[in-house]
């Protein structure tokens, strides 16, 4: 027999591919297992993944140098059938390397402890007869250094078969060293068992009876047999989560499992509680701040379905739950579902693949779907469901727009308009709460000389520094470079350095001046870098200890505080002017999500939006509550421009510290794209400097390619890079590419 092997952690392209080996029959190897193979000119013993077994007849041209698999490392394959298919999908659909695809699917694996990769709970048993153990005990009885070994052996003599972690607890062992020594002496042995966890019954009392709109959505999803994917568009506060919870309950009762994806920042105690109070220990959550050990444990528990519901950010979509019948992607429009690291997968596409495999259902939910998903729904590819009303009899907030140019004309140069200021006074004096969005952290967004116009910029990124009040430093938000605030202008020596532009700290400062005794919190990357900082901040706000919360887009997602009746949105339009064809869509989504935090309880909510361009279509549609209108007109624009969802994108960027080299090489690369595009199947844009032309001391230029079909675009995009590398042999430049990028680089 022959087999295909992928070398573990292949670092370069030349070896990142399937290699053929002879597979001796007596090894009884199963596809998906890890094996030891001789590799390279020196036949170095290397770990490989067995991804395919082929019989002799299927191999046509056998190389006489073909090598042989030495050993099988896994008793049970580490990659199951679905995961093997997924490796193939990641490689073919995203152009991932095999190495990156495999490491995306597997938990962090301890190199020395291969067996724990598939087993779950570790037990210790006696491995010698009692006589031999007693002899050994006798030998070590006088030595203090062996005291722990003696404890373990005595304990096992009395109670054979102990869970390692419990044994360590009972005997107060802090390390594994004594256990390891005894294992080496073969006096004890280690066995891995899969332990079934007993869960508490589902807590049925906690389920709210669905209202008629929710019931209809629930019925449609449960009974639908001709669709796998649903787009659930429900206004903020319409009770989408309650619909999920009912569907999850059904799946759990059938013994199936579920994955729930949320944007990382929405993964707060509030969200998680709603799941754990009903499903208890069936729920596991993963997030980026867990230790590798903890992540592996959740993975292994999921693999044997000891947990049935996994909640987490995009990477959780790969959880190897065996009877997976439902995936829910909440806030499906969120940009974080597309990975920015290789493999640059989109969790929605992965979820679609998995639900095809398991014949399960995928629910994409949002108050403001992405245009891509909306388009799929209009085509009937996704089943389109809507929740038009808020769940708890709450109404949607009233929205008013303040023209900040008029404020200025009336002599108000402050950061808040008079209307917003007065509304805050009214709200807090009634004991209600306020949220204010400004999507820029820091205090002032640039500092400039009033005499000569000099702007302080980061030398590595060529972008203005942001002033941070707390440590009185200028910080570059792109590379984190910091400098002292210059007291005189480095260009002309003038003493008149002035701060311009507003960040969250400046609003906080303003609120402190006027409303300090109501309690003010600020939520942005500077205040919640640690997990529990975020928790404390949210808890204080939930309790009402703080009445005012100012923050960046972090405050827009998921939070359900029924006492918030006023939401202020500052510089609502700043997002509109970023060079990205999704600017209008992103602005629309951010504002709509944020205003959805207002009036979620019994009292009618209010939203005040401050802008310098009140005539903007996005704002007008938001004020009129005409969401379908916005989506339709945005789709028309995309169609005219040939942008997604009507086409696919392929982006390439070259970066290097040497600007000339970047420009020369991107021009050469562009020539390859032109050369292989004779039939003009694709539209080539560029080469141009990237949106951030310099980042962390590297210059960046890009090319954008637009067209379809996707597979040919991907092939063409990569083919030209390969040819360019092969013939030009460029030095010291970095090339990165992406298919269907979400962010315009
Ligand atoms: P969404 O996820 O759509 O923003 P949520 O699921 O957070 O909405 O629901 C908003 C609020 O309405 C929550 O406080 C929730 O407990 C409540 N709610 C949801 N469904 C119902 C229902 N059927 N009856 C009463 N309250 C409900
Ligand atoms: Zn100056
Ligand atoms: Zn910088």
């Amino acid at each position: 027999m022959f087999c295909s092997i992928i070398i573990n952690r292949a670092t370069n392209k030349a070896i990142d591919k399937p290699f053929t080996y002879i597979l001796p029959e007596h090894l009884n190897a199963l596809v998906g297992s890890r094996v030891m193979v001789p590799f390279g000119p020196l036949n170095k013993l290397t770990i490989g993944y067995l991804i395919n077994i082929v019989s002799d007849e299927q191999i046509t041209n056998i190389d006489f140098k073909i090598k042989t698999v030495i050993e099988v490392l896994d008793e049970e394959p580490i990659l199951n059938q679905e995961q093997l298919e997924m490796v193939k999908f990641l490689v073919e659909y995203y152009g991932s390397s095999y190495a990156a695809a495999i490491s995306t699917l597997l938990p962090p694996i301890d190199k020395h402890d291969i067996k724990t990769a598939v087993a779950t709970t570790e037990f210790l048993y006696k491995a010698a007869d009692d006589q031999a153990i007693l002899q050994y005990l006798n030998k070590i009885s006088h030595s203090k250094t062996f005291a722990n070994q003696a404890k373990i052996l005595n304990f096992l003599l009395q109670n054979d078969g102990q869970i390692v972690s419990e044994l360590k607890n009972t005997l107060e062992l802090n390390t594994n060293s004594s256990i390891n020594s005894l294992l080496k002496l073969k006096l004890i042995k280690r066995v891995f068992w899969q332990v079934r966890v007993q869960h508490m019954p589902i807590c049925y009392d906690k389920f709210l009876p669905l209202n008629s709109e929710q019931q209809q959505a629930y019925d449609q999803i449960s009974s639908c047999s001709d669709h796998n994917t649903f787009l659930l568009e429900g206004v903020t506060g319409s009770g989408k989560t309650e619909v999920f919870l009912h569907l999850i309950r059904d799946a759990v009762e059938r013994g199936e499992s579920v994955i729930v994806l949320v944007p990382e920042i929405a993964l707060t105690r509030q969200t998680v509680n709603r799941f754990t109070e009903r499903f208890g220990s069936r729920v596991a959550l993963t997030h980026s701040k867990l230790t590798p050990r903890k992540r592996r444990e959740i993975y292994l528990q999921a693999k044997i379905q000891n947990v049935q519901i996994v909640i987490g950010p995009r990477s959780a979509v790969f959880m190897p739950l065996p009877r997976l019948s439902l995936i829910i992607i909440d806030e499906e429009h969120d940009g974080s579902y597309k990975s920015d690291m290789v493999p640059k997968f989109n969790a929605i596409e992965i979820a679609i693949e998995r639900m095809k495999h398991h014949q399960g259902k995928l629910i994409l939910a949002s108050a403001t779907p992405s245009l891509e998903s909306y388009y799929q729904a209009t085509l009937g590819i996704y089943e389109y469901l809507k929740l038009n009303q808020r769940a708890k009899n709450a109404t949607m907030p009233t929205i008013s727009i303040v023209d900040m140019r008029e404020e200025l004309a009336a002599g108000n140069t402050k950061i808040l308009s008079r209307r917003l200021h007065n509304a805050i006074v009214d709200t807090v004096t009634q004991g209600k709460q306020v949220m204010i969005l400004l999507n820029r952290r820091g205090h002032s967004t640039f500092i400039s000389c009033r005499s000569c116009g000099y702007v302080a910029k980061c030398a590595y990124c060529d972008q203005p520094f942001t002033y941070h009040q707390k440590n009185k430093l200028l910080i570059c938000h792109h590379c984190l470079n910091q400098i002292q605030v210059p007291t005189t202008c480095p260009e002309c020596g003038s003493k008149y350095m002035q701060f311009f532009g507003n960040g969250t700290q400046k609003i906080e400062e303003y609120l402190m001046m006027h409303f300090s005794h109501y309690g003010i919190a600020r939520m942005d990357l500077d205040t919640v870098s640690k997990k529990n900082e975020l928790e404390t901040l949210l808890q204080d706000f939930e309790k009402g200890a703080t009445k005012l919360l100012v923050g960046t887009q972090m405050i827009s997602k998921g939070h359900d505080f029924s006492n918030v009746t006023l939401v202020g949105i500052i510089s609502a339009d700043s997002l509109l002017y970023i060079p990205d064809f999704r600017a209008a869509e992103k602005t629309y989504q951010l504002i709509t999500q944020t205003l959805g935090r207002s009036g979620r309880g019994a009292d009618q909510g209010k939203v005040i939006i401050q802008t310098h361009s009140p005539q903007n279509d996005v704002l007008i549609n938001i004020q009129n509550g005409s969401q379908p209108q916005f989506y339709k007109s945005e789709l028309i624009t995309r169609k005219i421009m040939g942008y997604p969802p009507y086409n696919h994108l392929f982006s390439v960027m070259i970066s290097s510290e040497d600007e000339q080299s970047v420009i020369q090489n991107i021009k050469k690369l562009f020539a390859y794209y032109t050369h292989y595009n004779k039939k003009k199947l694709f539209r080539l844009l560029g080469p141009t400097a990237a949106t951030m032309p310099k980042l962390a001391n590297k210059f960046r230029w890009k090319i954008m390619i637009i067209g379809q079909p996707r597979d040919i675009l991907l092939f063409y995009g990569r083919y030209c890079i390969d040819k360019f590398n092969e013939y030009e042999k460029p030095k010291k430049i970095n090339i990165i590419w992406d298919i269907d990028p979400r962010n315009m680089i």
Side-chain angles (χ1 to χ4, degrees):
M1 281 195 303
F2 295 90
C3 63
S4 308
I5 305 284
I6 302 291
I7 297 304
N8 190 30
R9 292 184 207 171
T11 43
N12 74 60
K13 228 176 145 177
I15 60 168
D16 187 78
K17 60 179 187 199
F19 287 91
T20 303
Y21 277 82
I22 293 168
L23 183 63
E25 214 139 330
H26 73 267
L27 288 179
N28 291 324
L30 297 170
V31 177
S33 306
R34 282 169 303 172
V35 291
M36 275 296 181
V37 292
F39 188 73
L42 300 175
N43 283 331
K44 193 166 170 267
L45 276 187
T46 309
I47 295 178
Y49 294 84
L50 200 171
I51 58 158
N52 198 11
I53 298 180
V54 276
S55 62
D56 303 14
E57 303 91 67
Q58 285 167 281
I59 297 276
T60 44
N61 51 345
I62 296 169
D63 186 339
F64 67 94
K65 283 183 296 194
I66 196 163
K67 299 171 191 173
T68 304
V69 173
I70 309 273
E71 188 192 346
V72 181
L73 298 174
D74 298 315
E75 289 160 29
E76 191 187 314
I78 187 166
L79 292 165
N80 64 28
Q81 192 52 43
E82 188 196 1
Q83 288 173 315
L84 286 165
E85 285 169 24
M86 188 55 78
V87 169
K88 195 160 167 268
F89 182 75
L90 290 172
V91 168
E92 287 173 2
Y93 197 75
Y94 298 108
S96 168
S97 64
Y98 280 96
I102 289 173
S103 73
T104 303
L105 291 175
L106 292 177
I109 295 170
D110 188 347
K111 232 178 28 211
H112 306 289
D113 206 359
I114 275 167
K115 292 221 162 49
T116 55
V118 282
T120 51
T121 304
E122 198 177 346
F123 288 82
L124 288 184
Y125 285 88
K126 294 182 292 186
D129 58 40
D130 289 6
Q131 210 50 43
I133 292 177
L134 287 170
Q135 259 173 27
Y136 181 73
L137 276 172
N138 205 19
K139 207 169 85 191
I140 62 172
S141 63
H142 300 297
S143 164
K144 256 213 175 113
T145 24
F146 295 107
N148 282 337
Q149 290 192 16
K151 269 204 257 178
I152 296 167
L153 289 176
N154 280 317
F155 198 72
L156 287 182
L157 282 173
Q158 301 299 321
N159 330 270
D160 201 14
Q162 287 294 315
I163 295 178
V164 177
S165 55
E166 286 172 13
L167 176 107
K168 280 172 69 182
N169 266 340
T170 320
L171 302 182
E172 293 175 351
L173 306 175
N174 295 321
T175 69
N176 278 331
S177 63
S178 306
I179 295 176
N180 290 339
S181 312
L182 293 171
L183 285 169
K184 268 198 202 114
L185 292 167
K186 295 206 171 10
L187 291 169
I188 63 173
K189 67 182 173 192
R190 216 168 11 173
V191 178
F192 296 95
W193 292 105
Q194 296 190 348
V195 181
R196 279 247 146 254
V197 172
Q198 281 298 317
H199 296 294
M200 297 290 283
I202 296 174
C203 191
Y204 287 95
D205 302 348
K206 296 280 179 194
F207 288 82
L208 302 172
L210 299 178
N211 65 32
S212 63
E213 266 194 338
Q214 288 172 319
Q215 186 66 38
Q216 210 179 345
Y218 165 86
D219 288 342
Q220 243 170 302
I221 296 170
S222 312
S223 63
C224 183
S225 55
D226 57 352
H227 280 86
N228 277 330
T229 307
F230 301 83
L231 177 62
L232 178 59
E233 182 186 317
V235 297
T236 49
S238 56
K240 295 182 285 291
T241 315
E242 197 61 42
V243 177
F244 308 155
L245 289 163
H246 283 246
L247 291 161
I248 294 170
R249 180 198 60 203
D250 299 345
V252 169
E253 282 172 347
R254 292 192 299 262
E256 297 160 355
S257 49
V258 181
I259 292 173
V260 182
L261 300 189
V262 292
E264 177 119 26
I265 195 65
L267 198 62
T268 57
R269 187 188 35 85
Q270 213 184 22
T271 322
V272 174
N273 273 354
R274 291 175 74 177
F275 287 83
T276 47
E277 67 182 13
R278 302 175 203 215
F279 301 110
S281 54
R282 291 176 187 82
V283 180
L285 50 139
T286 72
H287 54 80
S288 60
K289 296 200 170 74
L290 294 180
T291 61
R293 178 181 282 273
K294 186 71 195 160
R295 268 161 52 205
R296 185 176 64 186
E297 187 189 317
I298 293 172
Y299 176 98
L300 295 172
Q301 296 296 345
K303 198 165 182 181
I304 58 165
Q305 241 198 18
N306 264 346
V307 297
Q308 269 173 291
I309 303 161
V310 177
I311 310 177
R314 65 166 180 256
S315 57
V317 76
F318 294 109
M319 274 292 159
L321 290 156
R323 297 184 59 198
L324 183 63
S325 70
L326 179 63
I327 301 181
I328 291 161
I329 305 189
D330 198 15
E331 314 281 9
E332 67 89 29
H333 64 281
D334 196 88
S336 70
Y337 290 127
K338 161 87 179 173
S339 171
D340 46 10
M341 287 171 302
V342 178
K344 298 183 177 176
F345 67 89
N346 183 331
I348 295 180
E349 292 163 343
I350 302 294
I352 290 174
E353 280 305 297
R354 295 203 69 185
M355 288 300 86
K356 261 192 231 156
H357 179 97
H358 288 273
Q359 297 182 324
K361 288 173 180 171
L362 166 64
I363 304 173
L364 305 173
S366 173
T368 52
S370 71
L371 267 131
E372 280 83 354
S373 297
Y374 178 83
Y375 181 60
Q376 297 295 313
T378 60
L379 295 179
I381 296 171
Y382 300 167
E383 175 101 350
Y384 192 24
L385 307 166
K386 274 181 120 171
L387 299 177
N388 295 305
Q389 251 118 54
R390 282 190 156 176
K392 291 188 295 197
N393 288 327
T395 47
M396 293 306 283
T398 59
I399 300 166
S400 52
I401 293 180
V402 178
D403 185 345
M404 289 307 277
R405 294 169 307 183
E406 285 173 13
E407 282 295 299
L408 193 63
N412 179 13
T413 54
K414 303 268 164 50
I415 185 168
L416 294 195
S417 61
R418 290 158 299 169
R419 176 137 23 129
L420 182 51
H421 182 102
N422 294 336
I424 296 176
V425 175
D426 288 348
T427 310
V428 291
T429 49
Q430 287 166 28
K432 300 288 172 188
Q433 289 173 295
V434 182
M435 281 168 112
I436 297 181
L437 169 83
L438 172 57
N439 202 18
R440 256 171 306 175
R441 65 198 172 91
H443 183 273
S444 305
T445 44
F446 64 103
I447 129 167
S448 166
C449 167
R450 273 172 63 181
S451 303
C452 74
Y454 160 86
V455 174
K457 286 182 177 173
C458 170
Y460 305 113
C461 306
D462 210 26
Q463 298 286 319
F465 277 114
T466 301
Y467 174 62
H468 282 244
Q469 176 85 339
K470 192 173 158 208
N471 36 22
K472 305 231 171 344
L473 286 174
L474 295 180
I475 301 178
C476 170
H477 281 184
H478 308 286
C479 73
L480 306 182
N481 173 27
Q482 318 187 329
I483 63 164
Q484 300 289 334
V485 181
T487 47
T488 56
C489 172
E491 292 281 308
C492 75
S494 149
K495 288 201 190 81
Y496 298 104
M497 296 299 286
Q498 209 176 359
F499 297 90
F500 294 94
N502 303 323
T504 45
Q505 293 178 5
K506 200 187 266 179
I507 304 219
E508 186 186 25
E509 193 178 84
Y510 179 97
L511 297 176
M512 283 295 195
M513 222 145 66
H514 300 274
F515 305 102
S516 60
H517 49 290
Y518 290 103
I520 294 153
R522 174 164 57 88
M523 180 163 155
D524 55 33
L525 274 182
D526 299 316
T527 58
V528 297
S529 52
K530 295 193 202 79
K531 178 96 184 136
N532 42 8
E533 285 174 334
L534 175 63
E535 251 343 292
T536 323
L537 190 151
L538 289 175
Q539 268 173 37
D540 285 349
F541 193 63
E542 190 168 26
K543 284 191 306 221
T546 46
K547 291 274 189 289
L548 298 112
L549 176 62
V550 46
T552 54
Q553 41 87 24
M554 281 186 176
I555 66 166
S556 70
K557 284 178 200 138
H559 313 297
D560 184 29
F561 302 111
S562 54
N563 203 33
V564 173
T565 56
L566 175 64
V567 164
I569 299 178
I570 314 288
S571 314
D573 32 10
S574 59
L575 251 183
L576 279 173
Y577 305 109
I578 51 170
D580 180 344
F581 68 90
R582 289 192 178 92
E585 178 187 354
K586 287 179 177 171
T587 308
Y588 185 88
Q589 287 162 340
L590 176 62
I591 296 180
T592 307
Q593 293 285 337
T594 311
L595 64 87
R597 303 306 121 207
S598 182
R600 291 169 80 93
D603 296 305
Q604 164 90 44
K606 206 185 233 185
V607 176
I608 296 174
I609 301 177
Q610 295 188 175
T611 175
H612 286 92
S613 53
Q615 284 78 32
N616 188 280
D617 273 353
V618 172
L619 292 181
I620 289 171
N621 278 313
I622 286 176
Q623 190 172 24
N624 297 341
S626 41
Q627 180 145 319
Q629 184 54 39
F630 173 76
Y631 277 80
K632 282 191 192 113
S633 70
E634 190 60 21
L635 272 185
I636 291 169
T637 313
R638 299 280 180 90
K639 189 162 191 175
I640 294 169
M641 303 299 290
Y643 281 130
Y646 297 95
N647 269 315
H648 291 277
L649 295 183
F650 184 95
S651 67
V652 199
M653 186 172 73
I654 296 187
S655 63
S656 154
E657 288 186 8
D658 178 354
E659 187 173 18
Q660 280 319 307
S661 162
V662 172
I663 296 174
Q664 277 166 14
N665 278 301
I666 197 99
K667 282 184 180 159
K668 281 187 202 161
L669 176 59
F670 192 77
Y672 282 79
Y673 282 115
T674 317
H675 178 78
Y676 289 105
N677 190 31
K678 287 212 182 75
K679 288 189 190 145
K680 300 255 187 309
L681 186 56
F682 300 111
R683 189 148 62 101
L684 305 180
L685 302 181
T688 53
T691 308
M692 284 280 302
K694 193 180 174 193
L695 179 67
N697 222 15
K698 293 213 164 99
F699 294 88
R700 298 142 48 96
W701 280 65
K702 67 177 176 185
I703 297 169
M704 185 72 75
I705 306 161
I706 306 178
Q708 56 177 328
R710 187 188 184 281
D711 54 346
I712 302 199
L713 174 65
L714 176 62
F715 179 84
Y716 163 74
R718 301 180 70 201
Y719 184 81
C720 293
I721 296 173
D722 288 346
K723 287 287 160 200
F724 166 78
N725 279 329
E726 186 182 332
Y727 293 117
E728 308 293 337
K729 303 198 170 28
K731 287 193 194 72
K732 292 190 182 152
I733 57 162
N734 191 21
I735 306 181
I736 59 166
W737 59 267
D738 195 1
I739 178 96
D740 294 331
R742 290 281 304 190
N743 287 314
M744 295 303 101
I745 42 175

